[in-house]
Amino acid sequence: MEQLRQVCDSNHVESCQGIAHTRWATHGVPSAANAHPHVSQGGDIALVHNGIIENYQNIRQQLAGKGYTFKSETDTEVLVQLIDYCYRSTNDLVEAVRLALNKVVGAYAIAVVDRRQPGRMVAARKSSPLVVGVGKDNSEYLIASDASPIVEHTSQMVYLDDGEIADITVGKDIVITTLESMPVEPHIKTVDLDISKLTRGGYEHFMLKEIHDQPQCLRDSMRGRLITQDGKGRVVLSAVQQHRERLLQARDIIIVACGTSWHAGLIGKQLIEQLCRKRVQVEYASEFRYRDPVIGPDDVVIAISQSGETADTLAAVQLARQHGAFIMGIVNTVGSSIARATDTGIYIHVGPEIGVASTKAFTGQVTVLTLLALALGHENGTLDEALYQDIIAELDTIPDKMSKVLQQDDKIARMALTFTYASNFIYLGRGYNYPVALEGALKLKEISYIHAEGYPAAEMKHGPIALVDENMPIVFVATHHQLHNKIISNMKEVKARNGRILAIITEGDNEVPAIADDVIEVPPTHYALAPLLSVIPLQLLAYHVAVAKHLNVDMPRNLAKSVTVE
Ligand code: BG6
């Protein structure tokens, strides 16, 4: 931002309008030539674009035949040239954009300006998210992929739906039409986002703040949903109350998600199967959407997404819609595309998550999945009252227990310094801790660029144990549960091959410390809730290894907070 200010000052740029975009390189390497905005051949029209134009090669050839030349390799430059070409026959920016967009195939969120019409902007979306912030009395308009970057300027938002075009002129009301020129009444939504959550609050990185925010985030996720009165507890979820029959009658429950959300889904599977005795499949959304899955009106699909904008998960939801399935969203970003595309939903209420590597959203998702499994199991009659009450009472103690784990931040920071040499890691867990092992490995990969794999501990013998030697750190997620003895034997197999063991254990466990090189203790809890505690040391370990390697923790290379393109 400072660099941009200097460029404007040194070039005496006087303007009340601007477009900019942090590009996710799809077509063409990250370079100045491929960077956005792209400008039309005559220099009149400029555009920024988030998405992929799939038929851009054809259009490029056709435009070349009409005398257009291209400075970049990008699909986006082809789009601005096409709009310029359409402008010749329409002589109007909105109609040129409409004509052009009716010729392209793919995903897009675009903002277009024309230097012949200062103060006017045209925006449009299909698949990629786009929101318009409306200033007081239309005195200003701000366009972004989601509300959090503009909410400090206005809380009045217009979320564009697929196939909509917004004609925006300062001082005038926003005009929305469809690709077919049908008028659309703009729906202004007030977004209540806590700005303080958008600052680092004194922490060195957003990721560290978000890790330390988890106790409070869990209280926010459970507020009004986990009710304890006169020593008795109950779970109240409006989604379950309103759609009880549809959820309880489900033939199959299919969870679709990506990345960290997929790991939360794996824990959700175990919770729902154990407490509700319903069969659950967990699917990578990117595979599910193209696999022609067996799905129908008797099935329930649960889409888990922090951003609510992940393209693959959104497409999986749209596929489920086509097959008549009932769709529930477990989402963080209010008003996001996935939240608006589902039949019902449960917001996780952890506040905006800025760090690219997801942390508080993971524990928020697992908490909501726990509440869902408790509510459905109780309604279903498959969950006996004693266990229901036990887990509810224990869930209520988790925020304080998390705070206790977080007090070991400095200890984990020191421990991390002894791992920066490593170029590989293996994470192991069993049962509920297996997805935690996967999540720990993902965190390390995302921000420290160290290769890491997560495995069910018993799978070691069937391959990965070949990798074990004194240079291979093995992280065991070994909190107490019925398979504890089994994981002790797995540790001994590793130790027998000089592997270096770091173990996450339950306070008071005196067996593992005798085997492991390093241990991090977490307070005892019900084994089904242990992931909410055992993941925190793994988040901190990854964070401190990345910091020790002087890496950009909040914006790691090659990653985006939300992948809105395929
Ligand atoms: C990636 C993020 O782009 O998308 C991960 O870097 C995230 O942190 C994954 O887990 C899925 O995103 P979402 O928003 O659908 O949960």
Side-chain angles (χ1 to χ4, degrees):
M1 187 55 95
E2 193 40 43
Q3 274 174 310
L4 180 61
R5 204 185 307 282
Q6 284 161 12
V7 170
C8 290
D9 293 349
S10 58
N11 296 294
H12 311 297
V13 175
E14 292 290 328
S15 172
C16 61
Q17 178 179 28
I19 54 175
H21 175 52
T22 316
R23 175 175 171 258
W24 171 277
T26 52
H27 300 82
V29 297
S31 68
N34 291 335
H36 294 207
H38 285 279
V39 181
S40 62
Q41 190 145 291
D44 293 320
I45 300 175
L47 167 143
V48 290
H49 164 225
N50 177 23
I52 293 177
I53 306 297
E54 288 162 22
N55 61 337
Y56 82 107
Q57 293 285 30
N58 284 352
I59 298 171
R60 186 179 170 119
Q61 274 153 16
Q62 291 163 22
L63 288 171
K66 300 181 190 322
Y68 279 90
T69 56
F70 298 87
K71 298 191 188 74
S72 78
E73 307 152 72
T74 67
D75 51 338
T76 303
E77 188 186 10
V78 172
L79 182 56
V80 75
Q81 304 290 32
L82 179 62
I83 292 170
D84 183 76
Y85 178 71
C86 295
Y87 192 95
R88 294 182 190 177
S89 54
T90 61
N91 214 19
D92 175 79
L93 187 60
V94 166
E95 293 316 320
V97 168
R98 191 187 329 275
L99 188 55
L101 293 181
N102 276 306
K103 295 178 190 305
V104 303
V105 176
Y108 53 78
I110 59 172
V112 190
V113 293
D114 182 337
R115 68 177 173 185
R116 295 163 292 194
Q117 301 171 49
R120 185 183 188 192
M121 200 177 278
V122 173
R125 77 155 285 184
K126 184 164 170 287
S127 298
S128 300
L130 196 137
V131 59
V132 180
V134 184
K136 200 163 176 320
D137 311 324
N138 302 333
S139 58
E140 67 174 354
Y141 283 100
L142 303 116
I143 295 170
S145 301
D146 74 82
S148 48
I150 57 177
V151 74
E152 67 185 289
H153 303 287
T154 175
S155 64
Q156 305 300 296
M157 305 287 171
V158 176
Y159 287 87
L160 257 61
D161 275 328
D162 271 0
E164 290 183 352
I165 302 175
D167 183 359
I168 299 160
T169 305
V170 170
K172 292 185 184 163
D173 286 344
I174 183 173
V175 177
I176 301 179
T177 51
T178 66
L179 285 171
E180 299 74 30
S181 303
M182 301 303 292
V184 176
E185 185 56 39
H187 171 57
I188 298 186
K189 194 173 164 26
T190 302
V191 168
D192 158 23
L193 257 182
D194 173 353
I195 303 287
S196 71
K197 290 240 167 93
L198 297 176
T199 62
R200 288 205 309 270
Y203 287 91
E204 198 188 343
H205 296 100
F206 279 105
M207 183 179 178
L208 187 62
K209 177 180 184 300
E210 288 156 4
I211 292 173
H212 281 270
D213 277 352
Q214 292 177 101
Q216 186 51 45
C217 291
L218 251 67
R219 292 190 188 93
D220 297 343
S221 290
M222 300 195 283
R223 186 170 301 111
R225 295 165 170 175
L226 191 73
I227 318 285
T228 43
Q229 240 160 7
D230 318 327
K232 282 206 81 178
R234 62 197 166 87
V235 173
V236 179
L237 291 174
S238 52
V240 173
Q241 290 176 323
Q242 288 158 12
H243 304 284
R244 182 181 183 283
E245 286 319 310
R246 196 68 196 267
L247 293 168
L248 293 185
Q249 303 311 324
R251 175 184 63 176
D252 276 330
I253 295 179
I254 300 148
I255 295 177
V256 292
C258 302
T260 288
S261 299
W262 186 77
H263 294 151
L266 291 175
I267 296 174
K269 169 184 170 70
Q270 296 188 51
L271 287 160
I272 296 170
E273 289 192 343
Q274 184 186 351
L275 305 183
C276 315
R277 307 314 293 157
K278 281 219 165 273
R279 195 173 35 242
V280 180
Q281 298 162 38
V282 185
E283 302 277 354
Y284 275 121
S286 52
E287 289 295 311
F288 181 83
R289 63 181 292 190
Y290 290 117
R291 209 191 65 236
D292 190 16
V294 178
I295 178 173
D298 300 335
D299 297 321
V300 167
V301 167
I302 301 179
I304 307 178
S305 175
Q306 184 288 125
S307 61
E309 299 296 351
T310 300
D312 286 322
T313 308
L314 183 56
V317 165
Q318 285 153 350
L319 179 73
R321 168 80 51 223
Q322 285 158 20
H323 285 75
F326 183 77
I327 308 165
M328 169 185 278
I330 294 183
V331 171
N332 189 34
T333 307
V334 176
S336 58
S337 304
I338 291 173
R340 288 180 287 123
T342 52
D343 299 303
T344 187
I346 309 172
Y347 282 121
I348 64 172
H349 293 316
V350 300
E353 188 175 63
I354 312 292
V356 166
S358 184
T359 53
K360 63 177 183 176
F362 175 73
T363 49
Q365 289 160 347
V366 171
T367 301
V368 161
L369 286 160
T370 308
L371 294 172
L372 179 63
L374 286 166
L376 290 177
H378 196 245
E379 292 292 330
N380 214 9
T382 52
L383 175 53
D384 73 44
E385 189 61 21
L387 182 56
Y388 180 64
Q389 290 302 331
D390 280 357
I391 298 180
I392 287 176
E394 198 45 45
L395 196 49
D396 215 17
T397 69
I398 294 289
D400 290 343
K401 288 180 176 174
M402 276 184 161
S403 301
K404 204 161 173 235
V405 178
L406 289 164
Q407 285 160 14
Q408 300 177 82
D409 192 350
D410 294 345
K411 170 187 170 182
I412 298 171
R414 288 191 299 278
M415 208 179 266
L417 296 175
T418 68
F419 285 108
T420 50
Y421 72 87
S423 50
N424 296 288
F425 264 72
I426 293 179
Y427 289 70
L428 301 171
R430 302 186 79 138
Y432 282 90
N433 285 329
Y434 161 49
V436 177
L438 290 174
E439 179 56 13
L442 178 62
K443 290 282 94 67
L444 194 74
K445 280 183 273 201
E446 284 176 307
I447 60 173
S448 78
Y449 315 151
I450 295 175
H451 173 244
E453 289 190 70
Y455 270 94
E459 265 309 291
M460 275 284 279
K461 297 191 279 297
H462 309 295
I465 199 161
L467 300 170
V468 175
D469 62 19
E470 59 283 357
N471 302 316
M472 173 66 83
I474 312 280
V475 178
F476 277 90
V477 187
T479 53
H480 276 160
H481 58 66
Q482 61 275 36
L483 299 171
H484 195 53
N485 292 341
K486 308 268 184 229
I487 210 152
I488 296 248
S489 336
N490 298 137
M491 283 186 194
K492 290 181 176 162
E493 290 159 4
V494 166
K495 218 52 210 158
R497 293 158 180 81
N498 297 327
R500 175 184 174 185
I501 294 178
L502 162 61
I504 313 300
I505 62 173
T506 302
E507 277 169 13
D509 179 332
N510 46 33
E511 286 179 273
V512 173
I515 308 167
D517 302 274
D518 303 287
V519 295
I520 300 169
E521 293 187 320
V522 299
T525 187
H526 189 281
Y527 63 84
L529 303 178
L532 292 167
L533 300 177
S534 56
V535 74
I536 295 181
L538 304 184
Q539 296 168 341
L540 287 170
L541 180 73
Y543 171 79
H544 288 297
V545 169
V547 168
K549 295 178 71 174
H550 310 293
L551 298 171
N552 185 337
V553 169
D554 282 338
M555 292 198 278
R557 70 185 184 196
N558 302 344
L559 289 177
K561 184 62 198 163
S562 175
V563 178
T564 55
V565 292
E566 211 190 314

